[in-house]
Amino acid sequence: MRAEMWRLYRHLILGGVVIVACCYVVMEFTQIRFGASRAEQLFCVDAEISSVLLLSGVTKSLPDSQFTWTSKSSDPLSIASMSSLVMDKKWLKLPDDSYQITLGSPNEPMLTGHAKQETPFFKIESLLTQFLLASELSYLDKVSLLESMPCLSVREIDTKATGPLIGVSIVRGAYSEYGFIWKDKEANGSLYLSVAHDDNVSLTLIVVVVVGVGITIMLMLIWRELISLDFKRKTFESITRQIARGRSGLPKGIPDSSGTLKELAYSFDSMSSHIQRLLKVQREMINAISHELRTPIARLRFGLEVMKDEVNEDVAKTIEALEGDVEELNTLVDEVLTYGKLEAGSLALNFKELAISELVGDILQHNHLLLQHLKVEVNINETDLVLADEHHLSRALQNLILNAAKYAAGKIVISFTYDEERWQLDIEDDGPGIAFEDRDKVFIPFQRLDNSRTRASGGYGLGLAIVQRIAFWHGGAVLIDASESGGAKFSLIWSRNQHQNTLS
């Protein structure tokens, strides 16, 4: 996992560096554009005030202007004409980054100005002072001309002026707006004059967008890594499940073939193979011992039968007791062999339709001597059919019924239910029941619980283990719960859709 974690950290670091770099580039670019736009607006204000001073005849030369002016006529123009010319001026930026402004017809302009953009030092205050204090123009004429200048903003304010013209500075964010407060003796109020900045896209908004896009890309990369890790986790989980089910060898196409996942999978596979070898040796040993025991058991049974005819009645009773022990030993060997075959999957199961009521009835009739002291209640319809292997299902049901008979105080209830997906047979008794923490232990081979339900009950601890394996190969399971009468309730459940016709 170290490589995957390093990739995540690498994406975080790389994403952070990219975001910072992008923010820096965007801020530098925006500052350059903002500076160029502000310079153009100041050139525009310079041109508008200078053109009005020249066209109105207030002055013939403007050393404080950034423009070099060429005028066709020296006669002053009317206020209306000047306003029209200023509003309709032609603004042009030449290839050498210089500016040209034309007032009037392009063929015969009234006034033409040319300025070079070489670190200009604007003297807007000097030009505006010269215009506002000109005696040749009235207050109303000045206001009319100011309002006709597109690059100059004019609005009334309540601030009291201490003189006829005052320069002020208003700070707005990272940039300052340079303006003037004008109070004329003919006016009742004051006017605030400033450069009319264009509505540019906010620098803050641009930075936020860039940061948002960068974070989104970074999160997408991290999400991609997390998806990859989750896929590897699911693959590893699938592999471990296959190993747990007894599969030997790793499947092909394991992702992360050179990483931690494959190493871990190989470790699990090695452990699984070792466990499989141990289990195989154990099964072979148990089966071999069980098979070898059959011959001496058969000889003992035959010898005891022969001896019964040659001894007196007292010795015959002892021989009958020995025959019971031999038969018990033979039953144990048979159960061990049966469980070994089910565990190894070497049995052939033949599924067919069965009448569950007939199957249960045959079991009860065959074991009536063991059940005669109990009341057996059967809740099964005669028309109920199931799909199962008759021999092994009968073996499982017999084990469950006899197990209930061992511990029942006086009653056993057998019920059958089903739905679209499964069949279920419940066997309940009114005995001491099974503690919740011990319910999984009863399916362990040769396991005996130290409580009233197993004490002095006989058996070998294989009956319920065999039932569980039969249910497994039928695509089902065995569940334990408490019965309504206080005893134990065993539920044999098997699938209607998933079963194996053969085991190999």
Side-chain angles (χ1 to χ4, degrees):
M1 293 297 178
R2 184 175 298 174
E4 285 78 5
M5 296 302 298
W6 167 242
R7 276 200 295 269
L8 288 177
Y9 285 127
R10 185 178 62 192
H11 288 325
L12 285 172
I13 295 172
L14 182 61
V17 171
V18 170
I19 290 174
V20 172
C22 290
C23 290
Y24 175 78
V25 171
V26 169
M27 292 178 69
E28 286 294 321
F29 176 76
T30 307
Q31 279 188 321
I32 293 173
R33 289 293 302 271
F34 182 82
S37 175
R38 191 176 184 190
E40 289 181 358
Q41 291 166 343
L42 292 174
F43 271 114
C44 182
V45 173
D46 185 323
E48 290 175 345
I49 298 174
S50 300
S51 61
V52 168
L53 289 172
L54 293 174
L55 293 174
S56 63
V58 174
T59 182
K60 298 296 182 181
S61 62
L62 292 170
D64 294 333
S65 176
Q66 296 294 320
F67 288 85
T68 302
W69 295 98
T70 302
S71 178
K72 182 178 180 181
S73 174
S74 59
D75 297 331
L77 299 179
S78 64
I79 300 300
S81 299
M82 287 188 292
S83 298
S84 178
L85 289 173
V86 170
M87 293 181 67
D88 297 334
K89 64 183 181 296
K90 304 298 186 296
W91 181 266
L92 180 64
K93 186 175 182 180
L94 302 177
D96 59 352
D97 290 335
S98 61
Y99 296 95
Q100 178 178 306
I101 186 170
T102 303
L103 282 77
S105 173
N107 298 326
E108 296 182 357
M110 295 291 298
L111 189 63
T112 302
H114 186 271
K116 293 184 178 180
Q117 191 178 10
E118 295 178 355
T119 59
F121 182 72
F122 295 97
K123 299 179 180 180
I124 303 298
E125 183 176 359
S126 176
L127 295 173
L128 192 58
T129 302
Q130 191 174 354
F131 170 70
L132 296 177
L133 299 182
S135 60
E136 291 83 357
L137 300 172
S138 66
Y139 172 76
L140 295 177
D141 293 339
K142 295 173 186 177
V143 172
S144 178
L145 290 171
L146 288 173
E147 291 177 347
S148 67
M149 298 178 184
C151 295
L152 197 65
S153 175
V154 181
R155 67 176 185 270
E156 293 184 359
I157 59 174
D158 297 332
T159 303
K160 294 183 179 180
T162 58
L165 186 66
I166 302 172
V168 296
S169 175
I170 299 178
V171 177
R172 290 188 178 177
Y175 304 99
S176 62
E177 177 185 292
Y178 190 68
F180 305 93
I181 296 177
W182 175 40
K183 174 66 171 66
D184 194 85
K185 59 184 179 179
E186 299 180 10
N188 295 325
S190 302
L191 295 179
Y192 177 68
L193 312 176
S194 63
V195 178
H197 293 287
D198 294 334
D199 294 332
N200 295 324
V201 178
S202 173
L203 174 61
T204 304
L205 179 61
I206 295 177
V207 173
V208 169
V209 171
V210 172
V211 172
V213 172
I215 292 176
T216 301
I217 295 174
M218 183 172 63
L219 290 177
M220 290 176 63
L221 293 174
I222 295 175
W223 178 254
R224 180 173 172 271
E225 290 296 328
L226 291 177
I227 291 295
S228 176
L229 287 175
D230 186 63
F231 173 73
K232 294 175 183 178
R233 178 194 64 80
K234 291 180 179 179
T235 303
F236 181 70
E237 183 179 352
S238 174
I239 292 174
T240 55
R241 286 180 178 176
Q242 293 177 23
I243 292 175
R245 291 171 182 171
R247 174 174 181 168
S248 60
L250 291 176
K252 296 181 179 180
I254 298 178
D256 190 28
S257 58
S258 61
T260 309
L261 178 62
K262 191 167 186 177
E263 294 179 5
L264 200 58
Y266 274 120
S267 299
F268 266 86
D269 182 57
S270 176
M271 179 183 66
S272 172
S273 300
H274 182 64
I275 294 174
Q276 291 294 333
R277 286 194 298 271
L278 293 177
L279 291 176
K280 182 179 179 181
V281 171
Q282 182 186 37
R283 285 194 295 266
E284 290 177 351
M285 182 180 65
I286 292 176
N287 290 336
I289 293 174
S290 301
H291 279 291
E292 292 299 325
L293 285 175
R294 283 186 176 277
T295 300
I297 289 174
R299 288 202 298 264
L300 284 173
R301 182 186 295 170
F302 177 75
L304 291 173
E305 285 288 338
V306 172
M307 289 177 61
K308 280 196 325 184
D309 298 333
E310 300 177 358
V311 296
N312 55 37
E313 185 176 349
D314 293 336
V315 177
K317 291 181 179 180
T318 303
I319 292 176
E320 288 179 359
L322 291 175
E323 283 182 334
D325 294 336
V326 171
E327 185 63 29
E328 190 173 329
L329 182 60
N330 186 63
T331 303
L332 172 61
V333 171
D334 180 63
E335 289 200 354
V336 170
L337 289 175
T338 301
Y339 181 77
K341 291 178 181 179
L342 286 171
E343 185 68 26
S346 58
L347 291 178
L349 299 185
N350 298 315
F351 287 83
K352 63 180 181 179
E353 282 193 347
L354 304 172
I356 190 66
S357 61
E358 294 182 5
L359 191 64
V360 172
D362 292 342
I363 295 172
L364 296 178
Q365 183 178 2
H366 181 73
N367 297 279
H368 71 279
L369 294 177
L370 298 175
L371 301 171
Q372 61 184 355
H373 65 290
L374 300 172
K375 177 183 179 182
V376 181
E377 179 180 333
V378 180
N379 300 319
I380 304 176
N381 295 327
E382 295 182 358
T383 57
D384 289 336
L385 300 177
V386 298
L387 187 66
D389 179 90
E390 182 177 6
H391 172 72
H392 291 92
L393 181 61
S394 175
R395 177 68 178 270
L397 294 180
Q398 177 173 284
N399 286 1
L400 290 175
I401 292 173
L402 295 181
N403 178 75
K406 290 180 182 180
Y407 309 111
K411 182 180 181 181
I412 295 176
V413 179
I414 304 173
S415 305
F416 178 75
T417 57
Y418 62 92
D419 55 27
E420 295 181 354
E421 297 181 355
R422 64 182 185 175
W423 292 292
Q424 178 171 333
L425 193 68
D426 298 327
I427 300 174
E428 305 179 51
D429 62 66
D430 56 354
I434 302 176
F436 180 80
E437 60 272 12
D438 293 335
R439 291 177 182 175
D440 290 335
K441 297 179 183 179
V442 300
F443 297 111
I444 301 175
F446 304 106
Q447 179 73 30
R448 299 297 301 275
L449 304 183
D450 187 19
N451 57 29
S452 59
R453 188 172 178 90
T454 58
R455 194 178 296 123
S457 62
Y460 315 106
L462 279 175
L464 294 179
I466 292 174
V467 173
Q468 186 188 50
R469 298 309 299 171
I470 292 175
F472 172 78
W473 292 118
H474 278 74
V478 182
L479 305 180
I480 304 177
D481 202 353
S483 69
E484 296 180 357
S485 57
K489 175 183 176 181
F490 285 82
S491 298
L492 176 61
I493 302 171
W494 69 104
S495 173
R496 300 185 64 170
N497 303 316
Q498 298 178 0
H499 59 271
Q500 297 189 15
N501 293 324
T502 59
L503 299 177
S504 60

